[in-house]
Amino acid sequence: MKMKNNISNFIAHTHNKDCLLELIKNINEKFTDIDRKNQKLIKQIKKIFFDNIDFYHMVEEKLKKELRSLFFYDYASDFGKLLNHIKTHSFKYFYNKVNTVRILHFFERKRYNCAYFSSIFKGHTFKESFLALYDKTRLNIDKYFKVFKLLDYAGKRAFYYWIKGMFELKFKYIEQTKCIKNPNEEYLSSFFNFTDEETYVNCGCYDGKSLLYFYQYVNKKCSKLIGIDCVKKNISDAVDTMIKNNIPKEKYEILYNALGEKEETIFVKEEGMYNINEIDIKKGYQVKQVTLDTLFEDKPYTFLSLDVEGFEMGVLRGSEKIIRETKPKLAISAYHKYEDIIEIILYLHKINPGYKFSFMGEYINTFADLTLYCK
């Protein structure tokens, strides 16, 4: 059967994973030189893959290598031009480009969470924050190129559009990164192949919903759910979530700890609805900080999601042994600090060069959230 007769069967159903797999199989087996000349057909297939970019990881593994370049745009040239633009334009050029009032109006119009955005930048105005990002990027151009080369296609695309959106102040580009559109997909995608024996550790577990979504995603087939948080209220809320959703006691554990690269007692201050946690030696309450290497010394975790409001790198350093020796699946919030978007990947690649990396934007209503996926 010719591809052009088959294609209409998939367009309305490509949210279905099995249907997308069937399309890939048909392309591999039946795509001919004649089909290569059919621009309308190629455009239709491109649209399917574009609309299902979170499934790209599946496509990457199963689509014939010689066909990938036909359906997926190569962002390398555009990425190089973008970084050259940042490198060659002056500080004054970007300074004059930023209008804080206009940006905030945009946030309000799009219903983005301005309070959360402000908290990321610790009280700085958008203008100050943007210019700090400009400085960091301009000084680390080579690192950005290294990160780009380490990413898969979906990651390259998200990385390119995230930077383009930030520096051109056109947020339609940042919205192109948002593949994770539903709450029950948080930290989950076709990038990972989960087994029935996963030990899922959610650091910064907040109200426990991520643990619940994972449990539902794997059809209740996993070894253990472990949530860790250093905010007392979050611990209570996470336990409530487990109980209300009838998750068996033997299946979960909620731990009240801070996480870092060494064991010590720290002081934590609760701040705002998102619980932005700050180490403060004069205020707050004491919490024991532990490392993941110590906590899971006897039985290493297999999947880790990490959203700890800017302390991600410290937590990863405290899990270097497990990451190096067992290569667990990782989903890491990479937007809390300017440098995280590049430094986290470079650190992980250094201690375990076997990792594959991707970026995806999160579903939640803040404009610049980006999650790093590693397997």
Side-chain angles (χ1 to χ4, degrees), residues 327-340:
K327 196 188 167 199
K329 304 171 187 72
L330 306 171
I332 306 164
S333 295
Y335 55 89
H336 290 118
K337 290 182 177 178
Y338 307 119
E339 59 270 24
D340 280 354

Side-chain angles (χ1 to χ4, degrees), residues 53-195:
I53 197 67
D54 51 325
F55 283 144
Y56 171 75
H57 317 289
M58 185 170 59
V59 179
E60 182 183 35
E61 294 175 356
K62 300 186 181 297
L63 188 65
K64 284 182 179 178
K65 188 175 182 179
E66 61 267 25
L67 293 173
R68 291 177 200 163
S69 60
L70 193 64
F71 302 117
F72 293 97
Y73 181 73
D74 182 4
Y75 287 97
S77 176
D78 289 350
F79 187 76
K81 290 176 183 177
L82 174 62
L83 289 190
N84 187 59
H85 174 74
I86 295 169
K87 184 177 181 179
T88 55
H89 279 71
S90 67
F91 181 87
K92 185 177 181 181
Y93 169 85
F94 286 104
Y95 184 86
N96 292 333
K97 193 178 178 72
V98 183
N99 183 315
T100 302
V101 174
R102 180 171 62 84
I103 298 300
L104 291 177
H105 284 168
F106 172 84
F107 286 162
E108 290 167 1
R109 191 168 67 251
K110 299 293 286 187
R111 296 183 181 179
Y112 286 132
N113 192 313
C114 302
Y116 179 54
F117 177 77
S118 299
S119 69
I120 292 175
F121 296 113
K122 308 300 181 190
H124 297 301
T125 66
F126 184 91
K127 192 161 197 165
E128 290 168 336
S129 303
F130 176 88
L131 296 173
L133 177 63
Y134 161 77
D135 272 343
K136 293 273 187 180
T137 306
R138 198 160 176 264
L139 293 171
N140 292 283
I141 292 292
D142 290 344
K143 288 185 177 180
Y144 275 80
F145 276 115
K146 288 179 183 177
V147 167
F148 185 82
K149 290 177 181 178
L150 290 172
L151 295 166
D152 71 356
Y153 175 83
K156 283 182 170 71
R157 181 178 177 276
F159 193 48
Y160 167 72
Y161 276 122
W162 191 89
I163 296 170
K164 186 177 178 69
M166 289 294 285
F167 281 95
E168 294 191 12
L169 296 180
K170 294 178 180 177
F171 297 99
K172 65 181 182 181
Y173 293 129
I174 289 177
E175 290 180 338
Q176 295 291 327
T177 72
K178 293 186 179 296
C179 302
I180 307 300
K181 297 180 175 66
N182 301 308
N184 60 357
E185 294 176 357
E186 188 177 16
Y187 305 127
L188 306 172
S189 77
S190 60
F191 186 74
F192 297 124
N193 294 312
F194 294 113
T195 71

Side-chain angles (χ1 to χ4, degrees), residues 18 37 39 52 54 59 105 132 190 227 246 285 290 301 310 314 318 324 344 350:
D18 293 333
K37 297 175 183 178
Q39 293 301 313
N52 294 275
D54 51 325
V59 179
H105 284 168
S190 60
N246 300 314
Y285 51 86
V290 297
Y301 57 84
R324 179 185 287 112
I344 290 177
K350 181 180 178 181

Side-chain angles (χ1 to χ4, degrees), residues 6-15 19-20 22-23 26 48:
N6 258 355
I7 196 73
S8 59
N9 297 330
F10 299 98
I11 292 175
H13 304 287
T14 48
H15 63 282
C19 195
L20 194 65
E22 186 66 23
L23 173 60
N26 270 269
I48 289 173

